Amino acid sequence: MSQLVIEMILKLGEFTAAERAEMYSKGGAFLVTSRILVVDMLNERVPFHKVAGIIVNNSHRMTETCAEAFIVRLYRSKNKAGYVRGISDQARGLTSGFMKMERVMKSLLVKKLNLWPRFHLSIATALEESPPDVVDIRVPLTPSMLAIQNAILEVMDACLKELRKTNKVDVEDLTVENGLFKSFDEIVRMQLDPIWHTIGRKTKRLVADLKTLRKLAEYLIRYDAVTFLKYLDTVRASEGVKSVWVFAGPAHRIFELAKRRVYQIVRTDGEQVESVVKQASRAGVELEVVAEEMPKWKVYKEILEEIQQEIQSRPADLPEDSWKSEARVLVACKDERTAWQLQRFILKGPEELMREEWNNYLLAKAELHGMTLRDKKKSRSKPQAQPQRKGKRKKRPDNTEQQVSEEPVIPLQNTGATDMSLEDVGASSLVPPVQYYALESDQYRILDTTGPSYVIVYDPDMKFVREMEVFKAKHPQRRLKVYFLFYEESTEGKKFEASIQRETTAFETLIRQKASMIIPVDQVSIQIIGYAFVYSWVGVLQTLDVPSPQAPNSVSSRKAGGRKNMEKHMQIVVDMREFSSSLPCVLHQQGMRILPVTLEVGDYVLSPEICVERKSIADLYASFSSGRLYHQAETMTRYYRLPVLLIEFSQDKSFSLQSANEVGDDIVPANIVSKMSLLVLHFPRLRIVWSRSLHATAELFATLKSNQDEPDAERAMRVGVPTEDGLIEGDVRAENYNTTAVEMLRRLPGVTDANYRTIMDGCKSLAELSIMPFEQLAELMGGQRPARMLRDFLDAKFPTL
Amino acid sequence: SAPAGAASGASNSQSRNAILVSRRQQGNPVLKFIRNVRWTFDDIVPDYVLGQSSCALYLSIRYHLLHPDYLYFRIRELQKNFRLRVVLCYVDEDVIKPLHEVTKTALLHDCSLLCAWSLEECARYLETIKMYENKPADNIQERTDQDYLSRLTSALTSVRHINKTDVVTLGSTFGSMASVMSASMEDLARCPGIGERKVKRLYDAFHEPFRRTSKQLRLSSVGIKPIQEAPK
């Protein structure tokens, strides 16, 4: 589903406003990002009366002030008959936080909630009628992997203990178990956010460290030994000095073991040397490449061979042709990278694969260059214990007669290594052709499009399990055999089991909540027939018969409608980029007219004189250190009589920049007070507005606008935009720019406010820029010096780690 | 009322390096925390004179609640004698309405409002503005003397969700910024830690044109299709 959405979104985003308006009026189904849709609705490009309904995806993310809620409200105010549906497959997302479900439903303006948990009777029976054949394979971790995993968990535990000591967080949720989940960050952040600006650097660091450690635990079982080491190196290089965990005792073990899984430095007499030896003492020392293989690889290979045998000995009751076409193998793994590696593993064998990874690694490691390689064949550690198989498992068919396969087969290259991990290379050197599926790519209905008979789940994933169940239920006559590969005693298995448990619990909570849910009729001021669905997987909804809504006959106008008309309709010009924030929505709630345009200067224009640059606290810090704020203050002051810097706090965070003890004894340049002081000294005309929350900002805007003229959108748009090149006129919008690319371009050395436009004129994309010769750059950038700076930067060799 | 206190008060060289404090401020606990800069009482119109052309008025939210008109009259007294007129507001109550009133008064009468949440912070603002009287803005301006890695980081992190570790990964894998920019989607996907979405974002940033054009071409290639026909 999301695959489709992404495709369409990207494409719709590329259209200009006029094109979109035309498309809307032609009709059809549209998948639009909320940011674009809000803007189109506000500019009245959407023919409201023609829109039959709106479906909001991922509705568990809704809040009262988010863009989607804004859309629903805009739609409702113009069209009372259409339907609104919210869909979510994240039961957990709807249970986190206070009254989350009610709030989501309120912001969707819907009254009815449908829950479709896996344990729902009708769903359970439908799915369990003809369940797929499941083989559950537990692969033991290698001793070194296990040791690294334990070390990571130990460091995590140590970090958690430290975090507890700070007395800033609730201890109960802080377990290593929870720490393995992404949602752990949320738990911690939710507790720390209200006091984030008052907590010490060390606590912040700990939170970041826990995130890193969680990733390490994940990558340990996902990446091969060499890649994992490479990643460790990068982590150490990029955040080593600042992090706390690197200095913890077990952390040393992580690094040491990870290294030893890949290479060892050995004396010629065979003794081991601890650390890396300097150039001078290299004599008598050599490098032994160990490059441990991933335990799953071997099992994976075996499964493929087993499948191949099964395919060749097709069941008697099936005609050959249909069996051949049906016997497809799908391998589900975490990402493109894993898929690519597994493919190479099958093609080249583990030895060659690891050699390639190793060579790759060497490129970035200068210190290991030039060391003599030790002949490794004899000293290699032997493969680990045989994996044990659990669950029901069919005996391997005895019929092994070799058939000439018509399917394209991938021949195995024997690399000549004596200790290839395949004992039975001779017996069946053929593996069936397989299709890889990266779970991360989230492809739309992959199972329907490939129609496999065999699925190997290389990386277990709950969502995919659900998809398989539905697929099997839809095709009960099909054969479907599923192999699950788990690492035994690993975080992977734990995570999988816990994720199922969590979902069940979430649904139980939702069911309880639904029973006692109160929907205040007077809050939802329009009579609405709408639904919110929570379903635990993708397939079911597609076959659901959704009753079509009837047009409600009692339509009450918005309560505030009458009162607001008393005042003159206030207008505010809002920069397009601000629509990712909630303020435009809140302003609209206040009864103001929002004019979305692209502003070169400022974020909001309240009147011909007042221009506002809005900064959240995080933005404020970031833009001080990047120098962006200085620049923005400069341009605002140049073009407006009342340039305003709005510092907006968050309602649920503390209302202060720092606590009294953080002020310190001395004047420190890095302190926010010093920066604010410099700002007011250099821009005495810049007005500073401190707002407690979003809603406070909206009120403030209303106050500031009284006695002021209404702003002119056309004029606001032209402010600060150079017109001499004739390019920038009314029709050019932010949506016509690749904003990320432009931002990156402007951050490159040599690129300035003065020359980035000419660069964009003379060069299509960053990729093109990267290969542009110096002379051409000099011409575009208006000088040799900036061009030299840019070219040098682009070509500079990245320092080896 | 008397013209600016700044000129007359600064007659002796001693007071030029000190914050001049109005006698009205006697007993203000903020004074206890002004430690990095000397201060002396003087007969001045504003509460504090922080330099040749900078002054400050002090106000706490609680005081404003008692005397809502106080600030307005004090600002009016200042006339146009200072380039920088700070209203230093001690936020001792977390209530929105009085702060709004203070904000509005300051904004419409050409004052820069600074909020502080402790007496220490109030004092620090006074000290810093005095100390930084003639300081250039380098500290808050874009720095150009950066090392290679920070520059690379600054450029690449303009792509959403790309972190410092990713920057090192990209740099060490491809060797230079130019090669990162011209990398294929597959090559990007092979970097550890760079997931599907990051790959897409990076690739788009590098290869999508700066300016989106050729509308006709896109229109015909995509067209308007109902949902069920779109996926392959």
Side-chain angles (χ1 to χ4, degrees):
Chain A
M1 183 176 282
S2 35
Q3 166 78 17
L4 164 76
V5 173
I6 289 163
E7 252 175 38
M8 293 293 289
I9 285 173
L10 288 175
K11 281 165 187 167
L12 247 178
E14 281 170 16
F15 291 107
T16 62
E19 286 164 0
R20 284 200 307 271
E22 198 190 318
M23 286 164 77
Y24 289 135
S25 63
K26 272 186 193 160
F30 296 97
L31 294 146
V32 204
T33 54
S34 34
R35 209 179 62 89
I36 287 177
L37 187 58
V38 163
V39 171
D40 284 347
M41 282 180 147
L42 286 169
N43 284 332
E44 294 179 348
R45 290 188 202 114
V46 181
F48 285 96
H49 59 282
K50 283 190 190 166
V51 180
I54 292 179
I55 297 174
V56 182
N57 266 330
N58 288 324
S59 53
H60 58 277
R61 297 209 196 112
M62 300 264 299
T63 61
E64 275 105 331
T65 52
C66 71
E68 289 78 13
F70 194 8
I71 288 169
V72 171
R73 217 177 50 240
L74 283 171
Y75 176 61
R76 270 296 164 230
S77 65
K78 298 272 171 60
N79 182 337
K80 312 224 151 59
Y83 60 85
V84 174
R85 304 262 193 283
I87 299 177
S88 164
D89 56 358
Q90 298 286 320
R92 264 185 57 72
L94 282 168
T95 51
S96 59
F98 178 67
M99 303 256 288
K100 186 70 191 288
M101 186 72 237
E102 275 97 327
R103 273 158 52 205
V104 166
M105 290 177 68
K106 195 178 140 196
S107 43
L108 275 169
L109 301 174
V110 299
K111 292 170 89 175
K112 210 167 155 183
L113 169 69
N114 286 334
L115 297 170
W116 298 101
R118 170 69 174 81
F119 54 77
H120 192 282
L121 189 67
S122 54
I123 288 169
T125 46
L127 292 180
E128 280 153 25
E129 218 164 68
S130 57
D133 217 351
V134 178
V135 183
D136 195 355
I137 301 169
R138 308 268 160 168
V139 187
L141 291 171
T142 66
S144 51
M145 281 173 89
L146 203 59
I148 294 175
Q149 180 177 299
N150 288 339
I152 292 175
L153 294 183
E154 251 176 79
V155 183
M156 258 178 139
D157 195 43
C159 285
L160 285 169
K161 282 203 181 100
E162 281 294 309
L163 198 58
R164 273 183 220 135
K165 267 191 231 157
T166 57
N167 281 331
K168 302 254 171 153
V169 268
D170 185 10
V171 206
E172 221 169 274
D173 292 325
L174 297 186
T175 57
V176 176
E177 200 116 301
N178 274 333
L180 294 176
F181 282 95
K182 228 180 183 168
S183 55
F184 178 78
D185 298 345
E186 244 171 76
I187 299 176
V188 176
R189 283 308 293 260
M190 225 152 79
Q191 293 188 28
L192 289 181
D193 260 353
I195 48 170
W196 190 250
H197 289 283
T198 65
I199 60 174
R201 186 161 303 176
K202 198 182 162 197
T203 315
K204 286 182 190 169
R205 200 55 241 176
L206 278 170
V207 175
D209 281 356
L210 281 167
K211 201 167 151 191
T212 312
L213 287 166
R214 195 193 60 223
K215 273 201 187 138
L216 281 184
E218 192 193 329
Y219 290 166
L220 171 69
I221 40 186
R222 218 166 98 193
Y223 292 157
D224 61 276
V226 179
T227 313
F228 182 69
L229 180 64
K230 198 168 157 188
Y231 185 76
L232 262 185
D233 286 344
T234 31
V235 166
R236 189 152 55 168
S238 60
E239 50 180 277
V241 218
K242 287 167 280 162
S243 18
V244 189
W245 73 274
V246 174
F247 301 105
H252 178 68
R253 237 167 50 228
I254 299 176
F255 288 110
E256 200 49 44
L257 284 166
K259 205 166 78 189
R260 263 194 238 152
R261 279 174 80 200
V262 179
Y263 66 91
Q264 279 167 10
I265 291 168
V266 190
R267 272 193 228 288
T268 12
D269 49 30
E271 239 176 274
Q272 285 197 10
V273 182
E274 267 309 301
S275 55
V276 173
V277 200
K278 290 278 159 293
Q279 203 85 21
S281 55
R282 278 220 173 148
V285 184
E286 54 188 26
L287 197 65
E288 183 193 2
V289 183
V290 183
E292 189 179 85
E293 290 159 24
M294 294 301 275
K296 267 190 191 175
W297 287 355
K298 204 176 134 219
V299 183
Y300 172 64
K301 176 92 188 170
E302 282 173 6
I303 295 173
L304 282 186
E305 283 161 2
E306 186 182 301
I307 292 173
Q308 177 69 353
Q309 279 176 350
E310 253 179 62
I311 291 175
Q312 281 166 0
S313 59
R314 77 191 142 82
D317 56 326
L318 273 175
E320 191 179 323
D321 292 350
S322 75
W323 171 239
K324 270 275 156 60
S325 62
E326 226 179 72
R328 271 185 291 257
V329 185
L330 182 73
V331 178
C333 46
K334 183 79 181 167
D335 51 14
E336 217 55 77
R337 195 199 138 75
T338 318
W340 174 68
Q341 199 171 50
L342 285 175
Q343 223 167 345
R344 282 199 306 157
F345 160 71
I346 291 299
L347 266 170
K348 298 176 175 169
E351 288 270 304
E352 180 62 26
L353 175 60
M354 290 311 280
R355 189 158 35 242
E356 276 181 21
E357 293 289 352
W358 166 250
N359 288 339
N360 221 332
Y361 176 71
L362 271 188
L363 288 179
K365 282 289 252 193
E367 62 182 22
L368 295 178
H369 276 309
M371 291 191 80
T372 33
L373 272 181
R374 189 185 175 87
D375 187 13
K376 58 185 184 295
K377 277 173 191 163
K378 284 149 286 177
S379 51
R380 281 205 44 167
S381 57
K382 281 289 116 198
Q384 318 72 38
Q386 282 295 315
Q388 59 187 97
R389 298 189 166 205
K390 287 178 185 167
K392 43 185 175 162
R393 188 185 179 302
K394 282 185 187 149
K395 272 236 82 123
R396 190 179 290 211
D398 290 325
N399 183 3
T400 48
E401 83 179 88
Q402 290 275 331
Q403 263 182 305
V404 185
S405 176
E406 285 155 13
E407 299 279 343
V409 284
I410 306 154
L412 239 194
Q413 279 174 5
N414 198 324
T415 50
T418 47
D419 55 349
M420 277 273 293
S421 60
L422 305 159
E423 305 100 305
D424 47 358
V425 173
S428 120
S429 57
L430 301 174
V431 290
V434 294
Q435 189 167 1
Y436 290 95
Y437 168 49
L439 292 165
E440 256 185 15
S441 69
D442 223 358
Q443 237 176 77
Y444 180 62
R445 291 161 79 177
I446 180 77
L447 288 162
D448 285 324
T449 45
T450 50
S453 296
Y454 295 94
V455 178
I456 303 175
V457 184
Y458 190 83
D459 293 304
D461 175 82
M462 191 181 67
K463 215 176 123 209
F464 188 63
V465 170
R466 291 283 145 74
E467 275 174 53
M468 279 192 297
E469 280 186 309
V470 173
F471 172 71
K472 183 70 177 85
K474 276 199 286 189
H475 310 278
Q477 75 292 350
R478 269 190 102 107
R479 285 168 48 87
L480 181 65
K481 192 166 178 183
V482 182
Y483 294 86
F484 277 101
L485 272 88
F486 282 104
Y487 280 121
E488 204 159 29
E489 287 179 74
S490 74
T491 53
E492 180 186 63
K494 261 184 242 161
K495 266 169 87 170
F496 182 72
E497 278 151 29
S499 60
I500 292 179
Q501 186 51 46
R502 278 152 168 260
E503 198 204 53
T504 311
T505 327
F507 263 111
E508 281 163 1
T509 317
L510 281 178
I511 290 168
R512 264 198 314 278
Q513 276 184 8
K514 190 186 170 184
S516 61
M517 191 160 53
I518 304 158
I519 297 161
V521 182
D522 59 324
Q523 272 186 21
V524 184
S525 56
I526 316 159
Q527 188 75 34
I528 290 144
I529 296 177
Y531 301 90
F533 296 102
V534 185
Y535 60 108
S536 54
W537 68 91
V538 196
V540 168
L541 191 81
Q542 290 158 4
T543 56
L544 263 182
D545 206 11
V546 181
S548 58
Q550 301 122 25
N553 35 19
S554 66
V555 177
S556 69
S557 62
R558 289 179 56 197
K559 275 187 175 167
R563 183 169 54 83
K564 290 289 177 202
N565 284 344
M566 302 291 285
E567 301 164 19
K568 193 167 61 185
H569 226 44
M570 283 188 178
Q571 290 187 358
I572 288 189
V573 179
V574 182
D575 183 43
M576 295 278 212
R577 279 158 291 211
E578 277 293 302
F579 280 90
S580 46
S581 87
S582 299
L583 187 56
C585 175
V586 176
L587 288 172
H588 183 264
Q589 252 167 343
Q590 295 256 322
M592 289 184 213
R593 233 185 107 202
I594 310 291
L595 309 171
V597 296
T598 302
L599 294 178
E600 184 83 5
V601 177
D603 293 329
Y604 297 84
V605 178
L606 307 189
S607 80
E609 293 191 329
I610 305 179
C611 171
V612 180
E613 178 68 40
R614 172 172 167 268
K615 297 279 178 214
S616 69
I617 301 306
D619 286 348
L620 180 72
Y621 282 85
S623 59
F624 259 133
S625 42
S626 70
R628 208 177 145 75
L629 182 54
Y630 183 92
H631 173 76
Q632 285 165 332
E634 205 174 22
T635 49
M636 270 203 303
T637 321
R638 193 177 305 150
Y639 296 110
Y640 288 93
R641 198 185 76 79
L642 282 173
V644 176
L645 167 67
L646 166 70
I647 300 174
E648 189 177 275
F649 292 76
S650 159
Q651 180 76 65
D652 43 358
K653 292 183 190 173
S654 68
F655 187 38
S656 78
L657 286 176
Q658 54 189 342
S659 58
N661 51 18
E662 268 180 311
V663 176
D665 293 331
D666 305 309
I667 299 174
V668 187
N671 193 289
I672 188 72
V673 168
S674 308
K675 293 184 173 179
M676 286 300 298
S677 302
L678 269 183
L679 189 72
V680 294
L681 277 165
H682 285 270
F683 300 100
R685 274 212 305 121
L686 181 70
R687 302 287 156 257
I688 301 167
V689 168
W690 307 71
S691 169
R692 180 69 188 93
S693 67
L694 265 183
H695 294 270
T697 307
E699 267 171 52
L700 259 171
F701 277 8
T703 327
L704 295 181
K705 275 178 65 64
S706 55
N707 301 326
Q708 293 272 339
D709 293 332
E710 292 298 338
D712 180 353
E714 293 289 318
R715 249 197 63 204
M717 238 160 50
R718 284 198 301 273
V719 166
V721 181
T723 44
E724 76 273 14
D725 54 6
L727 258 171
I728 323 282
E729 264 315 312
D731 62 322
V732 181
R733 306 273 150 89
E735 66 212 59
N736 299 340
Y737 284 96
N738 181 356
T739 40
T740 314
V742 177
E743 183 66 35
M744 192 184 301
L745 174 70
R746 294 180 68 168
R747 291 193 197 179
L748 294 175
V751 180
T752 62
D753 286 341
N755 65 19
Y756 84 94
R757 282 196 179 80
T758 53
I759 296 177
M760 278 168 33
D761 290 338
C763 158
K764 239 175 69 205
S765 67
L766 285 169
E768 198 182 310
L769 186 76
S770 72
I771 48 167
M772 197 169 268
F774 169 71
E775 295 73 32
Q776 211 174 334
L777 281 178
E779 203 175 295
L780 282 180
M781 299 173 75
Q784 302 260 331
R785 216 181 67 88
R788 178 52 56 210
M789 267 170 85
L790 179 60
R791 200 62 254 175
D792 284 351
F793 174 75
L794 290 176
D795 296 333
K797 181 97 186 63
F798 188 82
T800 48
L801 299 172
Chain B
S1 58
S8 61
S11 53
N12 56 48
S13 63
Q14 263 222 320
S15 58
R16 196 170 299 151
N17 297 322
I19 295 175
L20 304 180
V21 182
S22 157
R23 293 192 201 280
R24 283 168 176 267
Q25 290 290 305
Q26 235 155 7
N28 187 339
V30 167
L31 294 173
K32 278 193 298 194
F33 295 100
I34 303 181
R35 297 186 184 121
N36 289 300
V37 180
R38 281 184 303 108
W39 59 270
T40 63
F41 282 120
D42 205 336
D43 294 315
I44 49 172
V45 180
D47 291 337
Y48 300 90
V49 171
L50 302 169
Q52 290 290 313
S53 57
S54 333
C55 70
L57 292 173
Y58 175 87
L59 181 77
S60 79
I61 291 287
R62 276 188 203 147
Y63 191 85
H64 175 80
L65 281 166
L66 293 171
H67 309 278
D69 293 332
Y70 168 78
L71 182 63
Y72 170 72
F73 287 111
R74 290 303 307 278
I75 292 176
R76 212 173 56 171
E77 271 174 22
L78 291 179
Q79 298 182 332
K80 297 275 175 200
N81 294 313
F82 295 93
R83 209 174 126 258
L84 171 64
R85 316 194 304 174
V86 171
V87 171
L88 181 59
C89 180
Y90 174 33
V91 184
D92 48 1
E93 291 275 345
D94 189 355
V95 279
I96 291 172
K97 203 171 155 265
L99 182 60
H100 277 191
E101 289 164 7
V102 172
T103 305
K104 193 182 176 195
T105 314
L107 189 136
L108 294 178
H109 299 94
D110 303 325
C111 291
S112 306
L113 176 66
L114 289 173
C115 287
W117 285 266
S118 61
L119 294 169
E120 288 91 335
E121 206 178 359
C122 291
R124 180 55 46 83
Y125 269 119
L126 296 173
E127 290 173 355
T128 315
I129 294 171
K130 175 68 193 169
M131 283 277 276
Y132 284 6
E133 198 184 341
N134 299 311
K135 198 177 162 70
D138 296 352
N139 191 22
I140 53 169
Q141 266 175 313
E142 208 165 352
R143 255 158 276 140
T144 42
D145 54 336
Q146 284 172 323
D147 60 298
Y148 176 73
L149 190 59
S150 335
R151 284 185 148 171
L152 190 69
T153 307
S154 133
L156 285 172
T157 47
S158 55
V159 180
R160 263 178 73 203
H161 296 303
I162 295 297
N163 57 38
K164 282 181 192 158
T165 305
D166 296 334
V167 173
V168 178
T169 305
L170 289 168
S172 62
T173 309
F174 297 104
S176 75
M177 182 66 176
S179 341
V180 174
M181 282 176 170
S182 48
S184 73
M185 227 168 195
E186 291 76 33
D187 287 340
L188 289 171
R190 279 164 207 172
C191 295
I194 313 259
E196 212 89 6
R197 268 174 228 163
K198 284 186 191 172
V199 168
K200 177 103 185 68
R201 286 206 187 97
L202 281 169
Y203 190 83
D204 281 354
F206 299 145
H207 292 269
E208 286 284 303
F210 293 119
R211 295 180 209 272
R212 305 200 160 116
T213 44
S214 67
K215 297 156 197 176
Q216 276 69 35
L217 200 123
R218 268 180 292 111
L219 262 175
S220 60
S221 74
V222 182
I224 309 157
K225 293 172 190 167
I227 300 179
Q228 55 266 38
E229 286 174 26
K232 287 187 282 225

